[in-house]
Amino acid sequence: FEHSQSQLQVKAKIKYITPTDKQIVNGQVDAEYFLTDMAVLEVSEINNVKPLILGESSVVENLDDVILIGYPDGDYSITKGNINSQKYQDANLFKLDATSNPGNSGGPCILKNDNTVIGILVGGSSIAKQGENIALKIDDVKSILGKAGISY
């Protein structure tokens, strides 16, 4: 994986991908698929970039303001919105009203009041479910990483 923007060039290698037995049926996956839809990339140190702080999703409440950062279609994107629900189709995922697009997946969901990452965007709008964007809760991400022996 290589990314180049202006003069920044980053090379990464895949360190971990969460195994899954979930199947895509008619272009759709069950919401539970997103509970473990995660990969970890390892990059060499990048100068002049301050890493984001991982927060706690357990303190988040409905209607809290969030910011999403992504790179859909090769265009850097920042959008804002709210946590609409602590569940999505009975799965332990945040439901968001912040705008996202294909390519935002994997980007951070940042709690606006303290600028900590409280989720990772794993699903965005489709025509059938416009405005339903979901994020894997950061407490679950930390648990998955811990079980995989990956420090964060």
Side-chain angles (χ1 to χ4, degrees):
F1 170 77
E2 288 190 34
H3 167 72
S4 179
Q5 179 182 7
S6 300
Q7 296 183 5
L8 176 65
Q9 185 172 4
V10 178
K11 292 183 180 181
K13 69 177 183 176
I14 298 170
K15 186 171 182 174
Y16 176 78
I17 296 177
T18 310
T20 185
D21 60 358
K22 302 293 181 191
Q23 300 295 315
I24 298 173
V25 178
N26 296 327
Q28 300 289 318
V29 292
D30 187 50
E32 288 187 15
Y33 167 83
F34 296 109
L35 293 172
T36 59
D37 181 27
M38 191 173 67
V40 176
L41 301 178
E42 184 175 60
V43 298
S44 57
E45 186 175 334
I46 302 170
N47 295 325
N48 301 322
V49 175
K50 184 177 176 182
L52 296 170
I53 305 297
L54 300 184
E56 296 181 20
S57 51
S58 59
V59 302
V60 175
E61 297 182 11
N62 289 350
L63 300 180
D64 278 352
D65 293 327
V66 293
I67 299 166
L68 305 181
I69 300 176
Y71 200 69
D73 297 321
D75 190 20
Y76 183 69
S77 170
I78 298 176
T79 58
K80 62 182 179 175
N82 301 94
I83 300 288
N84 281 359
S85 177
Q86 302 288 320
K87 297 278 185 189
Y88 178 77
Q89 296 181 1
D90 293 324
N92 190 33
L93 298 160
F94 286 131
K95 182 177 172 185
L96 314 165
D97 69 1
T99 303
S100 72
N101 298 291
N104 276 87
S105 295
C109 176
I110 300 168
L111 187 61
K112 189 175 178 184
N113 74 351
D114 68 2
N115 290 321
T116 61
V117 177
I118 50 93
I120 303 296
L121 194 66
V122 292
S125 296
S126 67
I127 292 172
K129 298 186 179 204
Q130 189 170 2
E132 289 189 346
N133 304 301
I134 57 176
L136 179 58
K137 295 179 179 182
I138 204 67
D139 293 352
D140 292 338
V141 171
K142 290 175 182 179
S143 176
I144 292 167
L145 293 176
K147 289 176 185 172
I150 298 171
S151 60
Y152 50 88

